């Protein structure tokens, strides 16, 4: 049987394996390897693929499945909370970016139609690249992740009017206004229909499918619903990707959401890979090389301008400068839908072939750079705030009345549970959150919640970190969590800091920066599963708890270096509520350097006890009196909060980063 597309797909996958393996060795994101694979095997590269158009059709399935899984991970209630980022933030980003590039094109003496189209092309960002990268980095739930998602949704909503406007730019009219109004009307009708079906028909249908216990039937149902809704939205003039997103969103409230996601995931990964490879096939390497200078200049201009405009849009929403910088960097590339608009503009002679090829080259370069820029976004955001001197909260004095309290960073599910428990136990607490809508809504309910960026020293000082008893870090932004722990430890050596992280790889970094305890969701979730399984086999609860403690100790020991693992077995009596442990470093200029513990009399004169010393790679528990301190020694010191705070000055250095 002759399958014309089979040789091309075989070549693509074989070459992709080689390229991605090389990229993995060089620590280059796999997504970049897919784009490079397309450049190499495409018609403008080695010409190994002859049915590029057929590959593009398969690639569109990747975008459909990607948007479907993203919709599954949200819910209608989540989307309702995104209305300000979608409509206010998205509109601001698109209008600001379009306005700049439209003005630039007019200045360069392009035609009116070409100027308008250029602004439209530059305003859009890559939904597939950005959301895939954020998913891999587990940043979809972070404040900047929600803003980015909202802006990208607004850009997808513009797909229809932008497409309909291209022939209009060429001087052809065909009832543009009527088409837009009619399309919006049809879109609203379809959305209402889908909501009704999701509440009335879908639960019964899915329950019937699940009762068959057929994985094949369940998979076919998931794919069928996704493709059917995408086809329906395409039939009324909306984009298929928007339909896929709506299909996932409307199924997100189902009891079988996780099973649906798992069933579709392998297909999504395969077809999404084809999408990025097909993007790389569009690049004409010869043309790009001949105009390399102009293309690189365009790349720099696009990245910088789009980052600034998206950052301004995020600031308009009320988010702090760091969140704005993270969102700006993530949205600074050109989107895949821009290729469709550019191709339509070229077909209708709005832009020339010369301009079209240079735009494709610059756009693909921005896409290749996108994963690197998103990975470097926390460092770029910190550099931006430092260079510009922007401060989100100028206060450096604590709120009056805050003392011996708990600070909760983040008011997601974890933060809400902590606040509820603190309120029930009559523990004073204060909440710090970066979502202005959440702050406004929860403040109306009487929660002691404040808006601010925990990675800024002044913000934590304003929350009374110097007099706080405990700090709970339950935010999704890993970089911000690390910075918050570092600042808090420097401001209050006696503070008890517990941080939540999603991945085991974050544990050491947080401990090094001063956290007392780190809860790794990935590891702790496995212990919960383990405990519940044993309980079903009637294993006594005490035995389960002892086994869980052993597994926890051995697990964290395996994830930490030897010196830190040894410290994991050392724990002061938690029943002594007034006792704390802080970690200090002996500075070279300190008067303690070279003296023994007997000579400095920490216990007698300062009510401090040295429980252990870490010297280089050696861990020394319970040092005796003749033990002499050396510069660079890290001392694990026990005492009350007040004595630890006073004793910090003895070391002539800030508290060590534990």
């Amino acid at each position: 049987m002759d399958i014309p597309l089979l040789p091309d797909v075989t070549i693509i996958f074989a070459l992709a394996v080689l390229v991605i393996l090389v990229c993995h060795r060089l620590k280059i994101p796999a997504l970049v390897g897919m784009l490079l694979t397309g450049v190499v095997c495409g018609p403008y590269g080695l010409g190994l693929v002859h049915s590029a158009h057929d590959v593009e059709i398969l690639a569109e399935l990747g975008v459909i499945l990607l948007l479907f899984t993203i919709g599954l991970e949200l819910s209608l209630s989540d989307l309702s909370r995104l209305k300000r980022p979608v409509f206010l933030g998205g509109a601001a980003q698109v209008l600001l970016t379009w306005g700049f590039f439209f003005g630039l094109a007019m200045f360069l003496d392009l035609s009116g139609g070409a100027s308008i189209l250029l602004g439209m092309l530059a305003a859009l960002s890559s939904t597939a690249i950005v959301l895939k990268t954020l998913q891999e980095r587990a940043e979809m739930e972070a404040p900047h992740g929600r803003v980015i998602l909202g802006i990208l949704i607004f850009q997808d909503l513009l797909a229809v009017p932008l497409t309909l406007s291209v022939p209009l730019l060429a001087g052809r009219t065909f009832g543009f206004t009527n088409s837009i109004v009619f399309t919006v009307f049809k879109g609203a009708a379809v959305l209402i229909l889908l909501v009704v079906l999701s509440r009335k028909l879908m639960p019964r249908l899915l329950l019937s499918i699940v009762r068959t216990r057929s994985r094949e039937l369940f998979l076919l149902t998931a794919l069928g619903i996704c493709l059917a809704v995408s086809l329906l939205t395409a039939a009324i003039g909306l984009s298929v990707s928007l339909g896929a997103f709506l299909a996932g969103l409307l199924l997100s409230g189902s009891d079988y959401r996780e099973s649906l996601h798992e069933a579709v995931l392998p297909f999504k990964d395969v077809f999404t890979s084809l999408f990025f490879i097909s993007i790389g096939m569009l690049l004409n390497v010869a043309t790009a090389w001949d105009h390399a200078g102009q293309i690189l200049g365009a790349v720099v201009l696009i990245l910088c301008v789009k980052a600034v405009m998206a950052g301004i849009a995020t600031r308009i929403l009320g988010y702090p400068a760091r969140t704005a910088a993270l969102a700006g960097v993530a949205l600074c590339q050109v989107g895949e839908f821009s290729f469709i608009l550019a191709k339509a503009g070229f077909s209708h002679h709005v832009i020339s072939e010369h301009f079209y090829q240079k735009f494709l080259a610059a756009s693909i370069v921005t896409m290749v750079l996108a994963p690197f820029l998103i990975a470097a976004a926390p460092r770029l955001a910190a550099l931006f705030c430092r260079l510009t001197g922007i401060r989100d909260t100028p206060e450096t004095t604590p709120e009056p009345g805050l003392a011996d309290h708990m600070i909760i960073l983040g008011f997601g599910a974890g933060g809400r549970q902590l606040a509820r428990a603190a309120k029930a136990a009559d523990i004073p607490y204060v909440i710090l959150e970066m979502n202005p809508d959440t702050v406004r809504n929860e403040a109306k309910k009487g929660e002691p919640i404040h808006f601010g960026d925990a990675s800024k020293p002044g913000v934590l000082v304003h929350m009374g970190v110097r007099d706080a008893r405990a700090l709970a870090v339950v935010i999704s932004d890993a970089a911000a969590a690390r910075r918050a722990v570092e600042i808090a430890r420097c401001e209050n050596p006696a503070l008890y800091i517990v941080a939540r992280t999603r991945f085991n790889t974050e544990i050491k970094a947080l401990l090094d920066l001063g956290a007392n305890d780190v809860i790794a969701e990935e590891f702790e979730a496995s212990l919960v599963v383990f405990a519940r399984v044993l309980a079903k086999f009637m294993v006594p609860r005490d035995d389960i708890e002892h086994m869980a403690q052993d597994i926890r100790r051995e697990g964290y020991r395996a994830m930490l270096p030897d010196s830190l693992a040894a410290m994991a077995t050392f724990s002061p009596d938690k029943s002594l509520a007034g006792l704390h442990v802080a970690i200090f470093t002996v500075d070279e200029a300190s008067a303690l350097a070279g003296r023994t513990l007997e000579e400095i009399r920490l216990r007698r004169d300062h009510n401090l006890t040295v429980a252990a010393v870490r010297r280089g790679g050696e861990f020394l528990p319970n040092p005796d009196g003749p033990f002499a301190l050396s510069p660079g020694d890290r001392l694990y010191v026990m005492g009350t909060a007040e004595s630890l705070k006073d004793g910090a000055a003895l070391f002539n250095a800030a508290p060590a980063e534990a």
Side-chain angles (χ1 to χ4, degrees):
M1 181 171 57
D2 185 24
I3 305 177
L5 188 59
L6 183 59
D8 289 340
V9 173
T10 303
I11 292 172
I12 287 173
F13 284 153
L15 184 60
V17 169
L18 295 176
V19 173
I20 293 175
L21 276 175
V22 173
C23 290
H24 179 72
R25 291 290 181 88
L26 300 177
K27 296 185 177 180
I28 296 174
L31 190 149
V32 176
M34 297 172 198
L35 290 170
L36 294 176
T37 300
V39 173
V40 173
C41 68
Y44 300 108
L46 298 179
L48 301 177
V49 175
H50 303 288
S51 302
H53 178 68
D54 294 334
V55 174
E56 291 176 12
I57 295 175
L58 291 177
E60 290 298 324
L61 289 174
V63 179
I64 291 173
L65 295 175
L66 175 64
L67 269 294
F68 180 66
T69 56
I70 291 170
L72 281 174
E73 293 174 359
L74 290 173
S75 66
L76 289 174
S77 59
D78 292 330
L79 190 61
S80 66
R81 290 196 294 267
L82 287 174
K83 57 181 179 292
R84 289 188 75 249
V86 171
F87 296 105
L88 179 58
Q93 183 271 333
V94 170
L95 288 175
L96 288 171
T97 308
W98 177 87
F100 178 89
F101 283 98
F102 171 76
L104 177 64
M106 293 297 290
F107 176 77
L108 296 176
D109 202 25
L110 295 180
S111 66
S115 300
I116 295 174
L117 182 61
L118 177 60
M120 292 159 50
L121 297 176
L124 304 179
S125 303
S126 175
T127 301
I129 290 178
V130 175
L131 295 187
K132 180 177 175 61
T133 306
L134 291 180
Q135 280 182 324
E136 292 174 350
R137 294 174 56 83
E139 294 180 0
M140 287 296 296
E141 296 299 323
H144 63 277
R146 291 300 179 115
V147 173
I148 291 166
L149 176 60
I151 292 175
L152 290 173
I153 290 174
F154 182 82
Q155 292 180 4
D156 284 341
L157 291 173
L158 289 180
V160 176
L162 293 182
T163 303
L164 293 175
S165 66
V166 173
L168 189 66
L169 298 178
R172 304 174 186 176
T173 60
F174 56 101
F176 175 73
T177 304
N178 293 334
S179 298
I180 290 292
V181 173
F182 187 51
T183 300
V184 171
F185 175 77
K186 290 189 295 183
V190 169
L191 184 58
I192 294 172
L193 175 63
L194 292 176
V195 171
V196 172
L197 291 177
S198 68
R199 294 180 177 177
K200 302 295 183 181
L201 177 63
M202 290 301 174
R204 297 178 182 177
L205 174 63
L206 291 176
L207 179 60
S208 300
I209 298 299
V210 170
R211 283 175 174 170
T212 65
R213 299 183 180 273
S214 172
R215 292 180 57 86
E216 294 81 4
L217 183 57
F218 190 79
L219 173 60
L220 290 174
T221 303
L223 293 176
I225 292 172
C226 172
L227 297 177
V229 177
S230 300
L231 187 61
L232 179 61
T233 55
I236 65 170
L238 297 173
S239 68
V240 291
S241 58
L242 182 61
F245 175 77
L246 290 176
L249 187 67
L250 295 176
L251 290 175
S252 62
S254 166
D255 295 334
Y256 317 109
R257 177 173 67 174
E258 297 301 327
S259 298
L260 288 167
H261 187 278
E262 181 184 359
V264 175
L265 191 60
F267 294 89
K268 182 207 77 172
D269 291 338
V270 171
F271 287 107
T272 302
S273 301
L274 282 175
F275 169 76
F276 292 116
I277 292 171
S278 69
I279 292 295
M281 291 181 184
L282 297 174
L283 180 62
N284 188 328
V285 179
T287 301
W289 181 258
D290 292 339
H291 302 89
Q294 296 178 16
I295 291 171
L296 290 177
V299 168
V300 173
L301 180 67
I302 290 171
L303 295 176
C304 293
V305 172
K306 291 199 67 176
V308 171
M309 298 309 178
I312 292 174
T314 307
R315 290 288 280 177
I316 291 174
L317 291 171
Y319 285 88
R322 183 178 182 276
T323 302
L326 292 174
V329 172
L331 293 169
C332 65
Q333 76 292 133
V334 175
E336 53 273 352
F337 188 72
S338 296
F339 296 131
I340 299 174
L341 282 179
K343 187 174 183 179
F346 172 60
S347 301
H348 288 87
H349 306 291
V350 179
I351 56 176
S352 65
E353 182 179 5
H354 184 67
F355 180 90
Y356 174 62
Q357 281 297 331
K358 288 197 290 187
F359 169 78
L360 286 181
S363 301
I364 291 174
V365 173
T366 65
M367 285 183 163
V368 170
L369 294 176
F372 299 102
L373 292 174
I374 294 175
R379 295 188 294 274
L380 294 175
L383 178 63
F384 169 77
C385 294
R386 187 164 58 249
L387 293 177
T388 58
I390 295 178
R391 296 184 180 274
D392 298 314
T393 303
E395 298 95 334
T396 56
T397 56
E399 281 266 333
L402 290 180
D404 204 32
H405 58 292
M406 174 173 65
I407 302 175
I408 302 173
L409 301 186
F411 205 59
R416 291 176 189 275
Q417 294 298 331
L418 271 174
R420 182 181 302 175
K423 187 179 296 184
D426 200 24
I427 297 172
Y429 67 95
V430 64
I431 305 162
L432 192 63
E433 169 63 42
M434 283 211 303
N435 188 323
D437 297 325
T438 301
V439 173
R440 182 167 54 252
N441 295 333
E442 297 300 328
K444 292 178 182 177
K445 300 176 184 177
E447 287 286 1
I449 189 169
H450 300 265
F451 173 80
D453 186 352
S455 64
K456 305 296 181 185
V459 176
L460 283 178
V461 172
H462 187 65
M463 293 295 100
V465 69
R466 292 170 181 167
D467 298 309
R469 187 179 187 82
L471 171 70
V473 183
V474 285
I475 54 180
S476 300
D477 186 344
R482 292 193 297 268
R483 178 61 176 156
V485 169
E486 181 181 20
I487 293 170
R489 176 56 66 212
C490 291
E491 294 290 345
N492 187 347
L495 182 68
Y496 172 73
I497 303 175
V498 58
R500 181 207 70 186
T501 180
R502 292 192 174 186
F503 303 114
N504 299 339
T505 53
E506 289 288 326
I507 296 175
K508 182 179 181 299
L510 289 167
L511 288 174
D512 284 343
L513 291 170
N516 297 88
D517 286 311
V518 179
I519 308 301
E521 291 181 0
E522 188 178 16
F523 182 68
E524 295 294 336
S526 67
L527 289 180
V528 174
V529 173
F530 152 82
R532 293 190 179 182
V533 170
L534 291 188
K536 287 296 180 183
F537 284 89
M538 305 301 292
V539 178
R541 183 177 296 274
D542 290 344
D543 292 345
I544 294 176
E545 291 180 357
H546 287 134
M547 294 168 67
Q549 288 297 332
D550 290 341
I551 294 174
R552 180 178 284 107
R553 181 170 55 253
E554 294 303 321
Y556 280 106
R557 187 191 303 273
M559 291 183 280
L560 300 175
D562 292 339
S563 56
L564 287 176
M567 188 59 194
T569 63
F570 167 75
S571 178
D573 187 354
K574 295 291 174 41
S575 65
L576 302 176
L579 193 63
H580 299 268
V581 178
I583 305 168
F584 300 103
T585 297
V586 179
D587 191 67
E588 292 184 0
S590 172
L592 305 182
R595 302 176 64 185
T596 65
L597 293 177
E598 288 178 340
E599 294 172 343
I600 60 179
R601 301 195 304 181
L602 284 177
R603 181 179 299 175
R604 182 181 306 173
D605 296 344
H606 304 284
N607 294 320
L608 298 175
T609 300
V610 179
V613 178
R614 182 178 169 192
R615 176 175 290 174
E618 187 179 6
F619 185 79
L620 307 170
N622 303 317
D624 54 14
F627 182 83
L629 301 179
S630 300
D633 283 352
R634 285 186 170 183
L635 275 61
Y636 295 81
V637 183
M638 295 180 8
T640 64
E642 184 177 357
S643 61
L644 287 170
K645 189 179 299 184
D646 295 339
L650 297 172
F651 297 84
N652 289 332
E657 301 169 353

